[in-house]
Amino acid sequence: WGGLAAAGLIAFFVWRDQALNVPGSRSLEVIGYTAVALVATAALQLVLRLRPGSPGERLMANRALVWLGRRSYGIYVIHFPVFMILEAHGVTPDTLGRTFGSWTDGELAFIAISGFVTVALTVVSWRLLEQPALRLRRLAGSRAARPAIAAGG
């Protein structure tokens, strides 16, 4: 029920912002973050309860989700600098909102632009930094972990 309530709140605030044309409203952002946290928590609970061969397990094995999962840390690390660089160059939800006619449309455009740039940079990072680092780790094997364990105990 929590997910349904969160979706209802988001829908209400999006409708309110659109209907009242509230400039600079951050309701979608504030409520949206809470809803994302609720959905992520529900998804984590679902994943922890999956049985081998179940529809949920097959969903989580989906190639697109596996691809996204392998790059999720890079997306997390890169997204904030992308936001800051875009905003430093005048690309903000507010400026896009004035272009598209509402703050909500501006926010959605900002999410699309920043998301595209973030994923593109993450793909480059994955190929040039993360994959080579993972290959080095595999070459080193567990030898690198032994001294750290011995030194700690």
Side-chain angles (χ1 to χ4, degrees):
W1 290 104
L4 186 58
L9 279 173
I10 291 171
F12 169 76
F13 284 111
V14 169
W15 168 81
R16 186 201 71 180
D17 286 354
Q18 291 285 18
L20 302 177
N21 198 18
V22 178
S25 171
R26 298 285 183 188
S27 59
L28 179 61
E29 188 176 312
V30 173
I31 300 298
Y33 291 151
T34 302
V36 167
L38 288 171
V39 169
T41 301
L44 181 60
Q45 289 176 349
L46 173 69
V47 168
L48 293 174
R49 293 181 181 158
L50 292 178
R51 290 184 176 77
S54 69
E57 193 267 341
R58 287 193 305 274
L59 172 69
M60 296 309 293
N62 177 285
R63 289 177 65 160
L65 291 179
V66 170
W67 183 94
L68 184 65
R70 289 202 172 132
R71 289 152 183 88
S72 63
Y73 183 73
I75 291 169
Y76 165 72
V77 168
I78 292 171
H79 88 279
F80 189 71
V82 167
F83 284 8
M84 296 297 100
I85 291 167
L86 288 174
E87 288 186 356
H89 287 88
V91 180
T92 68
D94 291 332
T95 58
L96 292 169
R98 286 191 292 276
T99 301
F100 291 107
S102 76
W103 184 86
T104 304
D105 292 342
E107 181 71 19
L108 294 174
F110 184 79
I111 290 169
I113 292 166
S114 61
F116 176 80
V117 172
T118 298
V119 170
L121 291 174
T122 300
V123 167
V124 171
S125 169
W126 174 256
R127 291 191 189 275
L128 299 180
L129 297 173
E130 293 180 60
Q131 282 184 324
L134 290 171
R135 280 194 293 276
L136 284 174
R137 188 181 79 181
R138 278 192 294 273
L139 288 174
S142 61
R143 289 178 291 179
R146 286 187 199 133
I149 293 170

